[in-house]
Amino acid sequence: MQIKQLKSMSLTGLKVRTCNANEMNTDTAKIANLWQTFGQKYGPKLTADTKVYGVYTNYETDMTGDFDVIACCDDKNIKVVDSINIATKESRYLVFNGKGEMPDAVIDLWGEIWQYFSSEDCAHQRTYTSDFEYYKNDSEVEIAIAIKG
């Protein structure tokens, strides 16, 4: 992991509101369906240069409260019904890297992130403003967590 100062990005995509407790139950989980819908609506329109992101924002409180998840990309020329435009926040981020089969690599990396931030000797504090996943390719992801300082 490394600290990076990242600029704001303008993105377009599809949004759901959920919480981590709901995501642990297949009957109430929304994120998997969000990505399936994104793949159906956006997938055919993505190019080799398009960058794909998963943005987490509008946190109610912290990792226990509700938050928005936006499956999105940086190509704002793609027009899809029900799409929204968003911007990530320029901030200081702690960036974690994961490799492996998707979505397992993302799920495992989030587990590592939660463990890191719940550790008693954690050197950083989350801001719960906006965090994001950047899908570098089919088997590599970066997750950027906004931190104070």
Side-chain angles (χ1 to χ4, degrees):
M1 78 186 114
Q2 66 185 82
I3 295 174
K4 293 183 181 181
Q5 181 71 30
L6 300 177
K7 296 189 181 292
S8 176
M9 297 180 289
S10 295
L11 306 168
T12 183
L14 304 171
K15 176 180 88 168
V16 296
R17 186 137 181 99
T18 189
C19 67
N20 285 319
N22 286 348
E23 293 305 311
M24 301 300 168
N25 181 335
T26 55
D27 293 334
T28 56
K30 296 179 181 178
I31 296 175
N33 287 339
L34 172 69
W35 280 107
Q36 182 178 14
T37 302
F38 178 85
Q40 291 167 347
K41 291 184 175 187
Y42 279 80
K45 301 175 183 190
L46 300 176
T47 69
D49 295 329
T50 306
K51 294 179 180 173
V52 175
Y53 298 89
V55 176
Y56 297 74
T57 191
N58 296 323
Y59 287 93
E60 180 181 53
T61 53
D62 55 18
M63 66 182 264
T64 62
D66 289 352
F67 52 86
D68 291 340
V69 181
I70 302 104
C72 51
C73 67
D74 65 348
D75 186 347
K76 293 193 307 179
N77 293 318
I78 297 176
K79 303 297 181 207
V80 171
V81 174
D82 298 328
S83 68
I84 63 163
N85 293 320
I86 61 142
T88 62
K89 296 185 181 352
E90 181 172 347
S91 186
R92 189 170 178 226
Y93 289 88
L94 190 58
V95 180
F96 296 78
N97 294 285
K99 291 184 180 182
E101 189 173 326
M102 299 297 171
D104 294 338
V106 176
I107 293 166
D108 292 345
L109 191 54
W110 273 110
E112 180 183 321
I113 291 165
W114 292 334
Q115 184 176 11
Y116 173 81
F117 282 102
S118 65
S119 170
E120 289 182 20
D121 61 346
C122 181
H124 303 95
Q125 188 175 9
R126 292 181 67 177
T127 64
Y128 293 99
T129 52
S130 68
D131 306 311
F132 62 89
E133 303 159 344
Y134 165 44
Y135 293 89
K136 296 176 84 172
N137 55 51
D138 289 344
S139 63
E140 191 172 3
V141 64
E142 288 182 351
I143 299 179
I145 304 296
I147 57 173
K148 294 182 180 180

